Amino acid sequence: MHAGLDLAPFRALRYAQDRVGSLAAVTSPPYDVVVRPDGLRELQTADRYNIVRLILPQAGDPAAAHRDAARTLRGWRAEGVLAADPDPAVWVYEQRAGGTLQRGLIGALALSPPEAGVVLPHEDVMPDVVEDRAALMRATAANLEPLLLACHGTDSTTDAVERIARRPPLLATTTADGTRHRLWPVTEPAEVAALTGGLRGHRALIADGHHRWATYLRLSAEHEGRPPWDRGLVLLVDTARYPLHVQPIHRVLPTLPPAAALARLNGAFRTRRLDVPAAHALDLLDTTPGTAFLLAGEGHCHLLDRPDPGLLDRTVRHDRPPAWRRLDATVLHAALLGTLWRSDVEPGTVRHLHDADAAVAQAERAGGSAVLMRAVAEPTVRALAEAGVTMPHKSTSFGPKPATGLLLRPLDIADEN
């Protein structure tokens, strides 16, 4: 039996609003959602204190970049641009965009290994990304952005969240994408208990942030589970009250032109050229039964579907459930990237983008291909995670994602008073 979620207050490191142009100008999407280089450049020029300078530092090599981020963070704290709150708090966080409303809790969650069954991963991670995030966290001694966790049925917690959200917020801003963000710190012990006590006995699915969670676990092990490394910054959302949206993550293969990609298939997939706008092609992809992808580049889209059963039998692992073996991402990684296109696509060259138009544009500029994917249904994701089966890395994108830069958790000051 899993012990349940243990969420605690923390002393937030926050932007001093009188020292920056606006809160919106210093925030960023999560590090792996920033479209590079265009989105990175736009964020860097939005405000000289934009958080992207910490989460995606730019230098000649990774070690220098991490040192730069640490130096920048120290400088901003010394200048008073970032200041630590005097008291630890659990934060109620609200996002509104169009007809979407999401509320949840930001706090410091006790870490637990996968076998404990408290926090359930649903995707594999890439070791080089975990190493990069770990090196950055070591250098900065801070949790720079929360990961997103989805729990289910924590009614007493969610009722308390909604009561607090009726008060005037401490922080409020509207980011460039039109999303309104509001935050309330909760420091009074009885109210903290009302927010967090109902989480005991529950577990959570990692919706977004597998590499950050793996980084937390690695650094906790390095510090032998000692505070403050025994906890990590998270946003916890009850999806029974506030359902998340699941979107795909697309691939850019800069070294594989579409013509070569199609030739390498050698009849292993049915291919159809779609002479329709990209939006219509994506609609057609969503309604295609079975395994299917869009291959885009050179001004055209091709629908790939009906893979050869013999190819799948040879390339896809047999020691996983049928639902896992049928995943588009499974077939892409095993049959295409791992077999048919293997000689043309080195693993380290594959780029992962959340926006289909940006993926196609990058592929066009590089003379390569974009593989556009479909979203995986949330029940499939949760069922596989609860069975202890992880999907290929970058299989899903859950949202709305928390904005990066509103709350940081420094690891060089204690969370307790």
Side-chain angles (χ1 to χ4, degrees):
M1 177 65 181
H2 55 82
L5 300 163
D6 177 3
L7 192 72
F10 69 102
R11 290 182 63 192
L13 187 65
R14 298 191 286 113
Y15 281 99
Q17 295 189 61
D18 61 344
R19 300 297 306 275
V20 297
S22 69
L23 276 180
V26 295
T27 62
S28 164
Y31 79 96
D32 57 340
V33 181
V34 175
V35 177
R36 287 162 263 180
D38 298 341
L40 177 63
R41 190 179 305 113
E42 182 178 335
L43 290 164
Q44 288 172 330
T45 57
D47 190 291
R48 69 192 189 101
Y49 296 118
N50 189 282
I51 193 69
V52 78
R53 298 181 185 276
L54 301 183
I55 62 171
L56 289 173
Q58 303 298 298
D61 62 81
H66 302 147
R67 289 194 297 272
D68 282 355
R71 185 164 46 249
T72 298
L73 178 57
R74 289 194 300 270
W76 290 358
R77 292 176 73 172
E79 293 175 47
V81 173
L82 287 169
D85 285 337
D87 300 311
V90 171
W91 292 74
V92 171
Y93 177 40
E94 176 188 281
Q95 296 164 274
R96 287 182 183 266
T100 298
L101 168 65
Q102 177 173 286
R103 291 182 179 134
L105 285 178
I106 298 180
L109 186 72
L111 305 181
S112 57
E115 58 269 21
V118 177
V119 175
L120 305 175
H122 73 266
E123 288 183 355
D124 297 330
V125 296
M126 295 176 280
D128 59 324
V129 177
V130 175
E131 179 51 44
D132 176 75
R133 293 293 99 183
L136 178 62
M137 201 176 297
R138 288 189 202 99
T140 58
N143 297 160
L144 298 174
E145 48 187 336
L147 54 88
L148 176 61
L149 298 181
C151 57
H152 202 77
T154 58
D155 291 339
S156 62
T157 290
T158 307
D159 289 344
V161 164
E162 292 180 353
R163 286 195 301 272
I164 290 166
R166 289 195 284 267
R167 305 172 184 171
L170 177 67
L171 302 177
T173 191
T174 301
T175 45
D177 62 359
T179 302
R180 295 170 54 202
H181 307 262
R182 300 199 300 167
L183 294 106
W184 297 259
V186 180
T187 58
E188 200 276 320
E191 285 197 316
V192 170
L195 286 169
T196 62
L199 301 175
R200 299 287 185 173
H202 286 81
R203 56 186 179 177
L205 176 74
I206 300 178
D208 185 70
H210 284 80
H211 292 89
R212 278 164 279 170
W213 182 255
T215 298
Y216 290 166
L217 293 178
R218 173 181 293 192
L219 296 182
S220 177
E222 289 179 6
H223 290 82
E224 299 179 340
R226 294 189 299 271
W229 301 90
D230 60 335
R231 292 180 178 270
L233 188 64
V234 305
L235 166 61
L236 190 66
V237 174
D238 186 335
T239 55
R241 198 79 59 96
Y242 301 107
L244 297 175
H245 305 297
V246 189
Q247 296 178 314
I249 302 178
H250 311 291
R251 272 64 170 167
V252 175
L253 316 178
T255 61
L256 181 63
L262 292 168
R264 300 288 188 275
L265 297 179
N266 198 27
F269 283 74
R270 182 175 71 165
T271 62
R272 287 177 284 167
R273 177 166 158 170
L274 305 177
D275 292 315
V276 297
H280 292 176
L282 287 167
D283 289 341
L284 180 59
L285 175 65
D286 284 338
T287 59
T288 300
T291 301
F293 317 96
L294 283 180
L295 181 72
E298 298 176 344
H300 303 292
C301 279
H302 288 81
L303 179 66
L304 278 54
D305 67 348
R306 298 187 184 179
D308 172 36
L311 172 68
L312 300 186
D313 189 62
R314 293 192 306 274
T315 60
V316 177
R317 294 173 56 167
H318 288 262
D319 61 345
R320 297 294 177 93
W324 182 90
R325 301 187 80 247
R326 291 192 297 264
L327 291 170
D328 290 348
T330 296
V331 176
L332 172 68
H333 282 258
L336 292 175
L337 297 178
T339 304
L340 298 178
W341 295 340
R342 183 174 182 177
S343 61
D344 298 279
V345 181
E346 291 292 331
T349 66
V350 178
R351 303 172 192 165
H352 302 85
L353 276 78
H354 294 71
D355 183 79
D357 291 337
V360 174
Q362 283 204 12
E364 296 276 5
R365 285 198 297 268
S369 303
V371 180
L372 305 184
M373 310 287 288
R374 299 180 293 195
V376 182
E378 183 179 356
T380 300
V381 176
R382 188 174 291 275
L384 288 172
E386 290 175 348
V389 177
T390 53
M391 300 161 60
H393 60 262
K394 300 294 182 183
S395 292
T396 63
S397 175
F398 281 81
K401 302 178 190 300
T404 296
L406 295 174
L407 300 174
L408 289 68
R409 178 176 175 251
L411 298 169
D412 56 358
I413 61 174
D415 287 334
E416 299 79 15
N417 282 314

